[in-house]
């Protein structure tokens, strides 16, 4: 391998990746499912507020991450079969799309249904648009479907990374691990 080869993502790209993964997972767990009446019950305020706050953080992080990606140096592509590279890039592209589409359909859904965004600490963001209830309901439904889809796709993406590491024994997974973890692995600890 040439001396100048870049074999892993930079630490800021790694932080974006792992924080996003954790926030998406917790937002999914606290998804306020059910009918509109149920979602907006006072007894479900905390779950909904936590969910909406985490979801907005995911949205903000995804925006910053895309901007960072434009200026950050990417690792050299791993030496893997062409079809695997195309499949991996396609899943990553879809994940990026969903990181925007999932929050955007939720925000549109809540606002068009006539609800403000309700965040932790009692913060509210009022709707800047008039209500169009049926459209809002449809957007909220698409949001729940895309919310499920992002989890399935992230699961597939994680399984593929584990396969690369355990079976193909290449550096796809380790390229997203921090230096201290890579060192521990190299030591066999
Ligand atoms: C990546 C971020 C997000 C993920 C993974 C996600 C995931 C989900 C999932 C899976 C559900 C359905 C829960 C169930 O059926 O039990 C749901 C519902 C919901 N989410 Fe999100 N969500 C995210 C971001 C947001 C944001 C930013 C908001 C802010 C408005 C939001 C508001 C809602 C609401 C209000 C519902 C209930 C929808 C309804 O049926 O009316 N979500 N979310």
């Amino acid at each position: 391998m040439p001396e100048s080869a870049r074999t892993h993502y930079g630490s800021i790209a790694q932080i974006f990746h792992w924080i996003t993964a954790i926030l998406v997972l917790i937002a999914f767990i606290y998804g306020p499912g059910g009918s509109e009446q149920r979602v907006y019950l006072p007894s479900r305020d905390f779950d909904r507020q936590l969910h909406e706050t985490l979801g907005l953080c995911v949205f903000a992080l995804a925006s910053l991450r895309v901007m960072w990606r434009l200026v950050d140096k990417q690792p050299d592509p791993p030496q893997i079969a062409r079809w695997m590279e195309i499949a991996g890039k396609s899943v990553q592209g879809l994940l990026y799309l969903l990181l925007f589409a999932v929050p955007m359909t939720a925000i549109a859904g809540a606002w068009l249904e006539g609800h403000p965004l309700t965040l932790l600490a009692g913060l509210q963001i009022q709707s800047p648009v008039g209500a169009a209830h049926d459209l809002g309901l449809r957007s909220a439904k698409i949001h729940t479907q895309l919310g499920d889809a992002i989890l399935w796709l992230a699961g597939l993406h994680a399984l593929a990374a584990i396969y690369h590491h355990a079976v193909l024994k290449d550096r796809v997974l380790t390229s997203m691990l921090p230096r201290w973890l890579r060192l521990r692995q190299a030591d066999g600890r």
Side-chain angles (χ1 to χ4, degrees):
M1 197 177 295
E3 191 72 8
S4 60
R6 193 180 160 102
T7 54
H8 51 275
Y9 287 89
S11 16
I12 295 188
Q14 292 183 355
I15 290 170
F16 275 130
H17 176 273
W18 291 111
I19 293 188
T20 304
I22 292 166
L23 294 189
V24 167
L25 186 63
I26 307 175
F28 179 83
I29 292 168
Y30 281 88
S35 65
E36 184 187 356
Q37 286 77 6
R38 197 171 128 77
V39 167
Y40 290 93
L41 279 176
S43 60
R44 311 209 64 206
D45 276 356
F46 176 76
D47 282 10
R48 196 187 60 255
Q49 289 165 0
L50 179 61
H51 178 80
E52 294 194 8
T53 305
L54 292 171
L56 285 186
C57 290
V58 168
F59 193 26
L61 273 176
S63 312
L64 291 174
R65 182 171 174 185
V66 167
M67 287 190 261
W68 179 250
R69 202 174 193 284
L70 294 175
V71 294
D72 190 26
K73 199 165 175 328
Q74 300 297 303
D76 302 331
Q79 306 296 311
I80 53 174
R82 182 90 184 109
W83 73 265
M84 270 188 201
E85 199 181 332
I86 295 173
K89 289 273 170 258
S90 310
V91 170
Q92 283 169 29
L94 263 178
L95 281 169
Y96 268 112
L97 262 181
L98 286 171
L99 285 176
F100 290 99
V102 173
M104 282 163 82
T105 47
I107 295 166
W111 279 347
L112 291 171
E113 283 174 356
H115 304 287
L117 300 187
T118 46
L119 310 179
L120 289 175
L123 283 174
Q124 292 200 345
I125 306 177
Q126 298 297 331
S127 170
V129 294
H133 196 259
D134 286 352
L135 196 59
L137 279 179
R138 241 180 287 161
S139 192
K141 173 114 202 279
I142 295 175
H143 170 69
T144 63
Q145 290 164 343
L146 295 184
D148 288 343
I150 199 172
L151 249 278
W152 281 104
L153 209 58
L156 181 68
H157 167 79
L159 276 180
I162 292 168
Y163 178 76
H164 274 281
H165 188 69
V167 180
L168 301 179
K169 305 201 185 299
D170 59 28
R171 60 182 164 81
V172 168
L173 173 66
T174 50
S175 68
M176 197 44 99
L177 294 183
R179 201 177 138 75
W180 60 268
L181 243 175
R182 289 198 306 269
L183 292 177
R184 273 176 75 105
Q185 282 211 335
D187 285 358
R189 269 186 275 163

